[in-house]
Amino acid sequence: MDKSVATLAEAVAPIGDGATVMIGGFGGSGAPIELIHALIDKGPKNLTVINNNAGNGHVGIAAMIEQGLVSKIICSFPRSSDPIAFNEAFKAGTLELEVVPQGTLAERIRAAGAGIPAFYTATSFGTDLAEGKPVETFDGKSYVQERWLKADFALIKGEIGDTMGNMTYRMAARNFNPIMAMAADCTIAQVTRIAEPGAIPPEQVVTPGIFVDRMVEVAEPRQEEILIREGAVYP
Amino acid sequence: MDKSVATLAEAVAPIGDGATVMIGGFGGSGAPIELIHALIDKGPKNLTVINNNAGNGHVGIAAMIEQGLVSKIICSFPRSSDPIAFNEAFKAGTLELEVVPQGTLAERIRAAGAGIPAFYTATSFGTDLAEGKPVETFDGKSYVQERWLKADFALIKGEIGDTMGNMTYRMAARNFNPIMAMAADCTIAQVTRIAEPGAIPPEQVVTPGIFVDRMVEVAEPRQEEILIREGAVYP
Amino acid sequence: MTNALDDIKLNNDQIAWRAAQDIEDGAYVNLGIGFPERVAQYTVKGRTPVFHTENGVLNFGPAPAEGEEDWDLINAGKKAITLKSGAAFFHHADSFAMVRGGHLDVAILGAFQIAQNGDLANWSTGKGGIPAVGGAMDLVQSAKRVAVLTDHVTKHGDPKLVERCTMPLTGVGCVTRIYSSLAVVDIADGHFWLREKVPGISFDDLQAVTGAELKTEGDVLDLIVSGEGAPV
Amino acid sequence: MTNALDDIKLNNDQIAWRAAQDIEDGAYVNLGIGFPERVAQYTVKGRTPVFHTENGVLNFGPAPAEGEEDWDLINAGKKAITLKSGAAFFHHADSFAMVRGGHLDVAILGAFQIAQNGDLANWSTGKGGIPAVGGAMDLVQSAKRVAVLTDHVTKHGDPKLVERCTMPLTGVGCVTRIYSSLAVVDIADGHFWLREKVPGISFDDLQAVTGAELKTEGDVLDLIVSGEGAPV
């Protein structure tokens, strides 16, 4: 078993028009910038993107929007330090937005990975974001029913990966990456180093290989935050 | 902040009559034998015990049953290599049994820790174990509604703990321990070594300290499987 | 009849061997406690399936030598195991996320009864006694492919492949292939489809010990256990 | 009125300082993006709260020196942070399990409006624009204690403590204490209970800039920011 692929282009090759794509990261931390840019090079259209945010500056998800790949974003927080790409597309009406509370977003993704089609949460009860959703009372308290959130693909970023797909993450770059790996039909990971099986002690594996389908090494990944401060634009 | 306590007796001191107690472990792997035996020494009655199993031989949970501490067991698999303690109490009618599919048991516990009062699973649909539970259809498939499972206390076993409650586990002894730590009002952990904060690299923490209330060091914990093969009896 | 069957039927190792032939390279596989565990011994050369055990281990290997056991490293049957390179540990909720989330390619379990609609009964005889379900109900509802290993008939000679299960169900419509001591039978569209049978039994005799109609399409192949590594 | 208030009201650092006085040793605390983050700077000497950030870190410390940032180590506001000894990383579902599961002792957030029944509006002005909720709705429904930091009135001098929120709600009946620029107000039984007020304002003047009845029981204490480490 060897899940590694040689190039970023090969890694994202299966992603076609109309796909739903989860993208890991929280702001720039854990964002798989190189996979995103490889996807921009390929250029599929009408993608639904699931991320905590909605892009920043002119790289990563913001560049996907600017290059016309994205028709819908599902996120908790579309604001950023430089949200011009999202804002312009949203105001132009070319980009649909679904705002989901952050914990509900995380749990809907985890539920998809765990085979839980629906669950109840107190989050958003009584608010506009609960509109149209079933409400039920348990032990005298009201809860909103939320549905799992699946994707065709997940693009994630890790630190060390082995060829069987086992992965670790660097510090807070973990965030949405492990749960998105569980929730997509095909999970595509970029890691700083691809190692032989056994390189990650079994007790330290964060994402077991069963959740990962393709892995590509990006030995010196760029950090979105630094790219934005440099004024980088992709392509 | 220092969650360590000096003795096993002090660790289990808050557990009184009628408490619901989750006990980590899968068979003997990860079973907090020393905490269980300290609880037997204290001797509370009418406990509800939540564990994957229902005791084996004459130590651990089996000894709790023999010593009359337990009035109900919630588990997935009460059978064991030497199930006499459970079998006799069950047949005598002094011990109530709730059998829960193993994955549903794990998810109900995790749901309690995660603030999810109910969720849907395909598991047990159409079987006797779904009787009386709400059924709902999502995307054309039928699912059973399951409720969270909380406890007053959790007794768990880890490998290294720091005084802030962060923990690691040894190999497959992890099993139910991390999720039970999340689901109890008061989580009491035995670990092989209590260390200063910082001893566990933050990326390798399995149970963050927020889920642990009391921690006691048992430097040379006994393994239930070996005790049973030795014919050990407690007390 | 039962005595005659005893001479031609496959033993448990042979059934396990046959099931192993269908496990693909790289498949994620969960083997039920007991008899199904034997499937791992007959992995086809050149294929590397990854075995999952619901107590939180991926990519474990065979039992260690006696005296070498580490009882923190066990499988769902509480037997000592070893690790292969690239193993991972995880907690029970994550383990059943793998199961329930449909990430396992194959689950192979034992059976009391299998109905022609795919229903499985394997957890309780329904006759009182102490019920124990373990992870069976989770596995059968969620793995991509659910297969059972079983004697074709009970010890009393009664069919285990039936029209409707009379014992308490483990799951509904979940089994798609049966590896029995006499045949390989698929389940589709509410029917048993005979794919292979041991050469020593006629179709009619096999039908006679099967509790529902055996349908066929195309050739029924001979179920022959042979080749490198095959049990005798 | 607004001008007069400007002379006596607390500034944001002083409000944060007051909120910090109520954080107990060992408490697990989540501080909202922006203004609430300042509470961490005023931790009472001898107490060691543990700060949680919803992007997956427990026990983080202050911002690093400029140029020392590691952008994989940030808080919910995407600002660079540092770690204290005994920190832990975890993924987003586990992070919100901590939140939703009621494991946080205190969540402190900003507010547009707070109603006397504890309803909070802090995520959307309801006037169009781009909605962004982040983790606020999760935090307010689940932390053991939810407090808000806020100016007592809006920039236009309108009350932020109101009978009923007119802006879109973040959560219902969730806030139990308000640290405003003029007062400390508890919420219980559907009412605002005035606990402390800055010495420069009379009860009547405070009531006049509050959008619902301020009830009292026992003494109303002076809200005075002073002592070691207090901001000026």
Side-chain angles (χ1 to χ4, degrees), chain A residues 53 76 87 102-103 170 175 223, chain D residues 70 72 78 92 130 134 138:
Chain A
N53 303 102
S76 88
N87 284 4
Q102 194 174 144
R170 187 166 177 273
N175 56 63
Q223 172 60 252
Chain D
D70 184 323
D72 282 344
K78 280 122 188 165
H92 247 83
I130 293 163
D138 307 279

Side-chain angles (χ1 to χ4, degrees), chain A residues 25-30 52-53 75-79 86-87 90-91 97 99-107 110 119-129 141 157 159 170-179 182 206 223 225-226 229, chain D residues 33 53-57 66 69-81 83 89-94 96-97 99-100 112 120 122-126 129-142 167-172:
Chain A
F26 181 88
S29 172
N52 185 65
N53 303 102
C75 73
S76 88
F77 204 81
R79 283 186 215 139
F86 172 82
N87 284 4
F90 183 71
K91 284 173 186 163
L97 171 66
V99 170
V100 180
Q102 194 174 144
T104 298
L105 181 65
E107 191 65 14
R110 191 260 173 197
F119 61 91
Y120 291 91
T121 173
T123 300
S124 93
F125 173 73
T127 77
D128 294 351
L129 295 188
K141 187 172 170 181
K157 178 182 180 180
E159 178 70 355
R170 187 166 177 273
M171 300 200 287
R174 188 178 303 195
N175 56 63
F176 281 92
N177 286 296
I179 52 175
M182 299 166 66
V206 176
Q223 172 60 252
E225 185 69 27
I226 291 170
R229 286 167 186 240
Chain D
I33 293 176
T53 182
E54 52 261 47
N55 54 309
V57 192
E66 205 173 316
E69 299 91 349
D70 184 323
W71 296 106
D72 282 344
L73 184 56
I74 60 175
N75 65 11
K78 280 122 188 165
K79 297 201 189 84
I81 54 175
L83 293 182
F89 295 112
F90 34 85
H91 63 52
H92 247 83
D94 281 349
F96 279 90
V99 174
R100 203 186 305 99
F112 296 153
L120 172 67
N122 81 345
W123 78 285
S124 164
T125 58
I130 293 163
V133 68
M137 285 190 183
D138 307 279
L139 285 160
V140 300
Q141 287 298 352
S142 301
M167 291 177 176
L169 293 186
T170 306
V172 297

Side-chain angles (χ1 to χ4, degrees), chain B residues 7-24 32-50 59-65 67-71 152-156 186 188 190 214 216 218 234-235:
Chain B
T7 67
L8 286 157
E10 189 182 343
V12 301
I15 305 180
D17 290 356
T20 296
V21 185
M22 289 178 174
I23 300 179
I33 290 291
E34 285 76 11
L35 281 174
I36 296 171
H37 289 174
L39 187 58
I40 291 173
D41 294 346
K42 178 175 157 68
K45 304 293 174 195
N46 283 318
L47 301 181
T48 294
V49 167
I50 300 167
V59 295
I61 292 172
M64 286 178 73
I65 295 169
Q67 297 302 312
L69 276 68
V70 188
S71 58
D152 301 310
F153 299 93
L155 302 182
I156 66 170
C186 176
I188 304 164
Q190 68 170 74
R214 293 166 165 247
V216 61
V218 178
Y234 196 85

Side-chain angles (χ1 to χ4, degrees), chain D residues 12-13 24 43 53 63 78-79 90 94-95 100 102 108 132 136 150 171 199 201 204 212 215 221:
Chain D
N12 282 358
D13 279 301
E24 295 183 355
T43 297
T53 182
K78 280 122 188 165
K79 297 201 189 84
F90 34 85
D94 281 349
S95 184
R100 203 186 305 99
I108 300 181
T150 182
I201 196 168
D204 289 346
K215 295 176 89 80
L221 304 176

Side-chain angles (χ1 to χ4, degrees), chain B residues 116-199:
Chain B
I116 306 286
F119 61 90
Y120 291 90
T121 173
T123 301
S124 94
F125 173 74
T127 77
D128 295 350
L129 294 189
E131 260 175 33
K133 293 177 178 168
V135 167
E136 199 160 328
T137 302
F138 297 99
D139 307 333
K141 186 170 172 182
S142 298
Y143 297 87
V144 179
Q145 187 192 93
E146 295 283 355
R147 296 295 312 278
W148 60 15
L149 186 59
K150 298 188 169 213
D152 301 310
F153 299 93
L155 302 182
I156 66 170
K157 179 182 179 180
E159 178 71 355
I160 301 176
D162 70 26
T163 52
M164 298 189 69
N166 296 302
M167 286 175 63
T168 65
Y169 301 89
R170 185 165 179 274
M171 299 199 290
R174 189 177 303 193
N175 56 61
F176 280 93
N177 286 296
I179 52 175
M180 288 181 171
M182 298 166 67
D185 287 342
C186 176
T187 292
I188 304 164
Q190 68 170 74
V191 294
T192 304
R193 182 165 70 88
I194 297 184
E196 289 302 305

